Amino acid sequence: MRETEAPFLSGVQPDGLLTAIMAVISDNTRGATLMAVSMTAYTANDAFLKVLEGELPIFQTLFLRGIGTVLGLLLLARLMGQLRFNLSRRSWTLIAIRTLAEAMAAYFFLSALFNMDLANLSAILQSLPLTVTLAGALFLGEAVGWRRMVAILVGLCGVMLIVKPGTEGFTIYSLYALGAVACVTVRDLTARRMTADVPTLLVSATAAMGVTFFAGIGAAVTDWAPVTPRAIMLIGGATVFIMIGYVCSVAAMRAGEIGFVAPFRYTSLIVALILGYVVFGTFPDVLTLIGAAIVVATGLFTIWRELKLRRTARSAA
């Protein structure tokens, strides 16, 4: 479902101006808080799965977590009245493409997660605002000025500092992380093409079912490892946190203005640094930290620039 900004002050009477302004500020504050909680929950989910590294095969892990995720999302969709199937053929085509991209992203991401430091992987994923903006310009014809284009190119240079091609720190799983970024970019671009009548929870539940289905195929042709009580607790924790992350991220984008809320996505990098050090005893090297700082700075600039242009266009109108 296309992300939309919170309503502004059009049509507000003078005596209600202060109340309207406070409502917008309150929405933005609430949206920012929800986004920070969402990113924290997603990163906690990643940490739970990384603890499972080497204990369960990747397809088995995806399948077991997927069962809980599908059931949870279907229940939410049912309770919120979003379990509707009378959609157009175009909408179902976009949902199918998004579902395939989601499944591929999950495979690439978990493959990288099980073989990379959590903070390094999270740093690479911070390039998503840049890649989505660039792909939108290339494939959807969205306007991107030269300033944002330069920021995107600088940010991608920061990604190269994190990936470190041609050095000892570079592995095949660095490419897996970039593959996850590419797949998530396709997923987000597909979501941008969906009309407003497509229920968000239905799209997410369908994606979760797709991931679980493909994981089930992979799990069926691979040997399963014994599922210990410890593994059940870790998978259960991952399922709970990914559900919290999803619900909070949707609520965040509906509560406040995108330009205000979006920068709080970078909370995941801070949480990943903390969890990586406390739980796994790892910390990125200086080059990775410099690259991450470049990516975050350029991402914040592109968000600020887009917000400024929207406000200018709104004022002109």
Side-chain angles (χ1 to χ4, degrees):
M1 184 174 180
R2 186 185 301 276
E3 296 172 343
T4 56
E5 295 182 336
F8 279 79
L9 305 180
S10 57
V12 176
Q13 299 298 322
D15 58 352
L17 181 61
L18 180 60
T19 301
I21 292 176
M22 293 303 295
V24 172
I25 294 175
S26 177
D27 284 345
N28 280 340
T29 302
R30 185 168 64 254
T33 302
L34 287 167
M35 180 59 73
V37 172
S38 169
M39 293 299 102
T40 300
Y42 278 133
T43 309
N45 159 77
D46 300 340
F48 271 98
L49 295 181
K50 188 168 178 60
V51 173
L52 276 171
E53 180 181 341
E55 184 171 341
L56 297 178
I58 180 173
F59 287 117
Q60 182 180 353
T61 302
L62 275 175
F63 182 72
L64 294 176
R65 191 193 67 174
I67 293 175
T69 305
V70 169
L71 292 177
L73 288 175
L74 287 176
L75 178 60
L76 280 175
R78 177 69 175 177
L79 292 176
M80 298 181 67
Q82 295 192 20
L83 204 59
R84 305 193 306 270
F85 302 98
N86 55 335
L87 305 178
S88 66
R89 178 180 300 178
R90 177 181 179 275
S91 295
W92 282 116
T93 300
L94 291 173
I95 290 175
I97 296 173
R98 186 185 184 280
T99 299
L100 180 60
E102 185 83 59
M104 294 176 63
Y107 171 74
F108 283 130
F109 177 80
L110 283 185
S111 297
L113 179 66
F114 287 171
N115 295 276
M116 292 180 62
D117 291 343
L118 179 61
N120 286 21
L121 176 57
S122 181
I124 294 175
L125 293 179
Q126 303 313 307
S127 63
L128 276 170
L130 303 175
T131 58
V132 170
T133 301
L134 179 60
L138 294 177
F139 302 108
L140 300 182
E142 296 186 358
V144 176
W146 68 268
R147 294 179 181 86
R148 283 191 290 172
M149 187 61 69
V150 170
I152 290 171
L153 296 176
V154 173
L156 296 180
C157 291
V159 174
M160 291 299 102
L161 290 178
I162 303 170
V163 176
K164 304 181 186 69
T167 66
E168 293 182 358
F170 177 79
T171 68
I172 186 62
Y173 297 105
S174 302
L175 295 180
Y176 275 55
L178 293 177
V181 170
C183 292
V184 172
T185 301
V186 173
R187 182 198 70 185
D188 289 350
L189 288 181
T190 305
R192 288 171 69 92
R193 305 301 296 174
M194 293 180 182
T195 55
D197 64 312
V198 179
T200 300
L201 284 174
L202 175 63
V203 173
S204 300
T206 304
M209 286 187 284
V211 173
T212 306
F213 173 76
F214 286 114
I217 294 176
V221 297
T222 57
D223 294 332
W224 278 46
V227 182
T228 63
R230 174 179 177 272
I232 293 176
M233 292 179 61
L234 291 172
I235 293 175
T239 302
V240 169
F241 275 109
I242 202 170
M243 291 290 297
I244 293 174
Y246 173 75
V247 172
C248 289
S249 65
V250 174
M253 299 314 297
R254 291 180 171 178
E257 184 183 1
I258 291 177
F260 186 91
V261 173
F264 288 84
R265 292 181 183 273
Y266 294 116
T267 304
S268 62
L269 180 58
I270 299 174
V271 176
L273 288 171
I274 296 173
L275 291 179
Y277 181 75
V278 174
V279 179
F280 304 105
T282 60
F283 199 79
D285 56 27
V286 175
L287 200 60
T288 298
L289 291 175
I290 294 174
I294 292 174
V295 171
V296 171
T298 52
L300 290 175
F301 174 81
T302 58
I303 293 170
W304 170 80
R305 184 65 184 170
E306 182 176 358
L307 177 60
K308 182 179 180 181
L309 292 176
R310 288 183 179 181
R311 285 177 173 172
T312 301
R314 189 181 298 114
S315 298

